[in-house]
Structures are given as C-alpha cells and as structure tokens.
Amino acid sequence: MGRSVFMLISLLAIITFSGCTNGQESNPDLTSNSNSPEIENIIPDGTIIGNLDLSGVEVQKGKEKLEKWVKEKLAESIFIVYNGTEIEIIPQKIGIGVHLEKTWEGIVDNPGQKSKVIPKIHEDKVKKKLEEILSPYTSLPVDAKFKVEKDQFIITPSENGHTFDMDKLLVDINEVLLNNPPRKVEVTKVDVLPKVTTEDLQAQSFDTIIGEFTTQYNPSDKNRSKNLEIAVSKIDKKLLKPGETISFNQIVGPRTAEIGFKDAYIVIRNKY
C-alpha cells in the first residue's frame, strides 16, 4: 500500500511539472523586442532599399540582387538640366559608386524596414568631371569699361557670368542615383559678378575734365619720343578710384629694350 501511494504521488508530480513547462513554452515573452527581427536565412517582409524590395528573399540571394541592382543603376544615364539643356552623365564613369558593404549593414540593422543606399563618391574626381562636362554652359563675367571721347565719359556695360552650385548638384545626384529612369537633376545657377560693374563706373563718371597737366618735350628726339609713347600707352585709361594711389613704376614696369624702350636722355633735377 505504502509503495503504491508513493508511486501515485511521484506520477502526479511529474505530470504537474511537465504541464507547467509546456505552458511556458507556448506563451512568448511579451517583454522581448519582437519588433526588431534578425535576418537569419530569409529577409523579413518590408525590407526595401530604394525601389528594390528584398522581402522574403534568401540572404545570399538578397546580396546578389542588391549588387546586381546597384551595378545596373550606376550604368544608367542621369540627365543634368542646365538652363533648359539636358546633359547626360553616367554615374560610374564620373566616379560615383555605392558602398555595398555599408549598405548591406544598414539592411541588417533595419530588417523589415526601408534602408538607404550609402554612396561612395570620389569627390575630387567627380567635381573635376562635372566641371569639364558643364564648362561649355558656364560663362565668365565681363568687367565694365570706359573711354573718354570728345570729352564724354562713355561706358561699356558689365555682364554677369554664371556657373553652378557644385555642392547642391552632388546632393541632388545622390537623391536620384537609384531611382527609376528618367532621372533628371535641375542645376542651380549661380551668378558670378564682375570686378568692375556698370554701377561702379557710373558712380565715378564725369562729363568734364577734372584735372590736367602738360609738359613739353622735343619731338625730334626720336628715342625719347618712343619711350614716352610706350609709357603713356600703359597709363592711358587707368581707373583711379577715390582714396587709391597710382604708381608710375608699377604700371609702366622696367624700362628695358625687350619691351621696346630705347636709349635716350633723361631729366634729373631739372637738368636734361
């Protein structure tokens, strides 16, 4: 009797213990982070990068799909629109690529979510290429000029040049880098102002002679006359702004035979 009771109690204890264990396994821990699934063999639904959906794809196949997709996108044309003109570029040919490893790490860190492509840009090479491609469509500024004709101050107007915002262009190219075609980027134009504007000259213009000086020399002295002619041609039409000074030696430069000056008498302390 005692042996039967002991066996019955032991059997009940085993059944009770087994029942509790099975109950714990069938109820997941609700405090665990179930919103952050890890990628093991199959990529979770909702895992998207750019317009590439990797949902339900095996991990190795997903890597292969990503690499192929990136390669195709980098070989497709992007059209830069500059002042209404479309200019074609191929990203991989101008030094734009993608960090595949870092991009995949982003997918692994954010399974079931949208991830971003991590661009790989050889900045110096890309900027140099874009400048070469777009240089025919840019222009240099033109300074305003003037001449005095019949005692009138006549101004030739200045012109603004224009170039493009390189940093913004690179950002915009990255934005469309892996989009579906047609991929277009509008260039932001930047005006380049001249050093001397029309307004600068207008503010300093005059319609009368404001100062003059004359001196005499012997025109029969051919060499000295030639030297004066060269010097005057270098000084003529120089603009002297308020507060500025002018240096004869700086403007005319060395008086050497290489630039046309000739041996001639000079004046020192009023003596010829």
Side-chain angles (χ1 to χ4, degrees):
M1 177 67 177
R3 181 179 179 86
S4 299
V5 171
F6 177 78
M7 292 180 64
L8 178 62
I9 292 171
S10 299
L11 180 60
L12 289 171
I14 293 171
I15 293 171
T16 302
F17 181 78
S18 300
C20 291
T21 303
N22 289 337
Q24 288 174 355
E25 288 181 351
S26 62
N27 292 290
D29 184 0
L30 298 179
T31 62
S32 65
N33 188 2
S34 59
N35 292 326
S36 300
E38 295 182 358
I39 298 179
E40 295 180 355
N41 296 321
I42 303 298
I43 299 173
D45 288 345
T47 304
I48 298 172
I49 182 162
N51 56 17
L52 179 65
D53 191 345
L54 296 174
S55 300
V57 179
E58 292 181 1
V59 169
Q60 186 57 39
K61 292 290 184 183
K63 291 180 178 180
E64 293 171 1
K65 285 187 70 172
L66 175 64
E67 185 173 354
K68 180 182 178 183
W69 177 72
V70 166
K71 186 175 181 180
E72 290 173 351
K73 291 296 181 183
L74 293 177
E76 291 176 354
S77 300
I78 293 178
F79 291 93
I80 297 175
V81 184
Y82 195 140
N83 202 25
T85 301
E86 292 189 0
I87 304 128
E88 182 184 17
I89 64 168
I90 305 296
Q92 66 183 10
K93 289 185 178 181
I94 66 170
I96 297 177
V98 169
H99 278 293
L100 283 172
E101 289 185 7
K102 291 183 178 180
T103 299
W104 182 256
E105 287 173 5
I107 294 173
V108 172
D109 291 340
N110 300 281
Q113 301 178 45
K114 288 186 177 181
S115 297
K116 291 184 178 181
V117 170
I118 308 300
K120 182 179 181 181
I121 296 177
H122 302 282
E123 192 166 310
D124 291 341
K125 179 181 178 181
V126 173
K127 286 184 175 181
K128 183 178 179 181
K129 286 288 186 181
L130 287 174
E131 285 172 354
E132 290 174 359
I133 292 168
L134 295 175
S135 62
Y137 305 95
T138 62
S139 64
L140 296 174
V142 178
D143 288 342
K145 298 179 181 178
F146 76 95
K147 63 180 179 179
V148 178
E149 191 174 276
K150 295 180 180 180
D151 294 335
Q152 295 294 313
F153 195 88
I154 301 172
I155 298 174
T156 302
S158 60
E159 295 179 12
N160 289 350
H162 60 84
T163 183
F164 57 95
D165 188 332
M166 176 67 81
D167 292 334
K168 187 175 187 307
L169 179 57
L170 289 178
V171 170
D172 291 344
I173 288 174
N174 284 337
E175 288 292 326
V176 304
L177 185 59
L178 300 175
N179 289 355
N180 287 330
R183 300 181 293 176
K184 295 185 180 182
V185 173
E186 192 79 32
V187 172
T188 301
K189 287 176 59 177
V190 178
D191 285 337
V192 182
L193 300 179
K195 293 180 179 179
V196 181
T197 67
T198 303
E199 292 74 20
D200 290 336
L201 293 186
Q202 287 174 339
Q204 300 171 42
S205 64
F206 51 88
D207 57 7
T208 59
I209 296 175
I210 58 176
E212 62 181 356
F213 174 80
T214 59
T215 186
Q216 295 180 346
Y217 69 98
N218 182 5
S220 64
D221 187 338
K222 301 297 183 182
N223 283 1
R224 188 160 186 259
S225 296
K226 181 63 177 178
N227 292 346
L228 289 172
E229 179 184 326
I230 294 172
V232 168
S233 69
K234 292 178 176 291
I235 296 173
D236 190 30
K237 294 183 177 60
K238 291 296 180 185
L239 179 64
L240 186 63
K241 296 180 180 180
E244 289 185 342
T245 58
I246 192 170
S247 168
F248 178 89
N249 286 335
Q250 187 175 6
I251 293 175
V252 176
R255 274 72 83 187
T256 62
E258 286 76 15
I259 58 176
F261 285 99
K262 299 182 179 297
D263 289 332
Y265 289 104
I266 60 174
V267 178
I268 299 179
R269 295 174 184 162
N270 295 323
K271 292 184 179 180
Y272 186 66

